[in-house]
């Protein structure tokens, strides 16, 4: 899809960007991508979560791509009977983050832009697609599309994002200690990262 004329300059693919390949240990096209965490609002089976379901998609140019689906529930309304717009942005954050994770990890969202093209009725299914368009150093440039009720359905939203590769210290320094400890990180490791 052509870039919107209002896209932030920091989201435009730089001329020196290269197309990154999937990591050798990442799942192959057609394979499902399991939730990356049991508590994730985007992909885990948690009560108010988006419950996105993923698979690796084929990318004609040999890059990294994912496809995902999300059923729109009554507890996700903004205007009556329609999906809350912020939840489309949250879905894009998860889907674009997931495709970046096929290339390298960990990464975090630095900037995310959503274009809302059509209303999204509750009860319908969003079919999302995302692709890593290029990488320059720590910066990964990603785009996504959401379609209604079929993989080739009408486009309801598009997104562009910049993700940045970070080190594990990003989480050791910033996440709640009790959540890190639940993952097996020792109190000493947390103290050392924060000293
Ligand atoms: C298996 C995993 C599956 C994951 C799926 C889930 C996906 C969900 C992902 C998320 O929601 S992550 C949570 C939301 N994001 C955050 O909480 C990030 C909060 N922000 C930060 O921690 C820092 O601002 C950040 C790590 C993004 C950047 O800080 P750094 O100190 O590492 O970067 P720095 O400021 O040195 O900037 C590096 C480059 O990026 C550029 N940059 C940084 N932030 C930017 C921004 N916001 N917009 C545009 N450019 C930006 C910056 O200009 C610079 O460009 P140059 O190298 O060309 O000089």
């Amino acid at each position: 899809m052509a870039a919107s004329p209002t896209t932030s300059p920091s989201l435009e693919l730089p001329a020196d960007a290269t197309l990154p390949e999937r990591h050798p240990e990442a799942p192959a096209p057609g394979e499902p991508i399991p939730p990356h965490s049991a508590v994730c609002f985007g992909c885990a089976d948690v009560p108010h979560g988006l419950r996105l379901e993923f698979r690796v998609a084929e990318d004609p140019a040999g890059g990294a791509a994912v496809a995902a689906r999300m059923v729109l529930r009554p507890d996700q309304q903004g205007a009556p009977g329609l999906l809350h717009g912020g939840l489309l942005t949250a879905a894009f954050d998860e889907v674009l983050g997931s495709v970046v994770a096929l290339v390298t990890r960990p990464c975090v969202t630095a900037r995310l832009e959503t274009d809302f093209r059509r209303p999204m009725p509750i009860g319908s299914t969003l079919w999302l697609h995302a692709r890593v368009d290029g990488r320059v150093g720590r910066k990964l440039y990603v785009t996504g599309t959401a379609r209604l009720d079929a993989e080739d359905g009408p486009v309801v939203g598009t997104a562009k994002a910049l993700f940045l590769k970070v080190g594990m210290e990003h989480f050791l320094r910033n996440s709640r200690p009790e959540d890190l400890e639940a993952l097996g990180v020792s109190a000493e490791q947390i103290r050392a990262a924060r000293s």
Side-chain angles (χ1 to χ4, degrees):
M1 180 167 296
S4 155
T6 56
T7 295
S8 308
S10 57
L11 294 178
E12 294 292 356
L13 190 65
D16 60 344
T18 55
L19 184 69
E21 292 181 357
R22 265 181 302 112
H23 189 278
E25 288 169 20
E31 291 183 2
I33 305 176
H36 64 86
S37 137
V39 294
C40 176
F41 174 75
C43 62
D45 187 12
V46 294
H48 297 292
L50 301 178
R51 298 183 209 153
L52 280 151
E53 295 169 7
F54 288 92
R55 67 179 158 78
V56 180
E58 192 75 56
D59 182 62
V66 298
R69 66 189 282 279
M70 169 179 154
V71 177
L72 307 188
R73 305 189 309 263
D75 63 350
Q76 297 175 325
Q77 295 177 69
L82 298 175
L83 181 71
H84 192 291
L87 295 184
L88 178 64
T89 297
F92 273 133
D93 193 18
E94 181 73 19
V95 175
L96 274 55
S98 294
V99 75
V100 164
L102 294 180
V103 171
T104 184
R105 58 172 74 179
C107 293
V108 294
T109 326
R111 190 173 191 94
L112 171 60
E113 217 171 75
T114 305
D115 287 312
F116 298 89
R117 311 265 178 166
R118 291 186 189 209
M120 295 158 279
I122 296 303
S124 48
T125 298
L126 290 190
W127 292 83
L128 300 110
H129 181 271
R131 173 179 197 264
V132 181
D133 293 330
R135 177 177 187 169
V136 180
R138 293 174 60 209
K139 295 177 172 178
L140 291 108
Y141 296 82
V142 196
T143 50
T145 305
R147 294 174 180 270
L148 202 63
D149 281 336
E151 280 191 274
D152 59 353
V155 173
V156 292
T158 54
K160 286 189 161 205
L162 171 69
F163 281 75
L164 278 183
K165 171 110 171 153
V166 293
M168 287 312 295
E169 68 278 4
H170 176 90
F171 305 97
L172 292 173
R173 289 192 190 130
N174 296 299
S175 298
R176 284 195 309 184
E178 57 266 42
D179 297 312
L180 293 168
E181 286 170 20
L183 293 171
V185 180
S186 71
E188 178 48 41
Q189 285 173 292
I190 299 168
R191 260 196 306 278
R194 295 177 186 206
S195 62

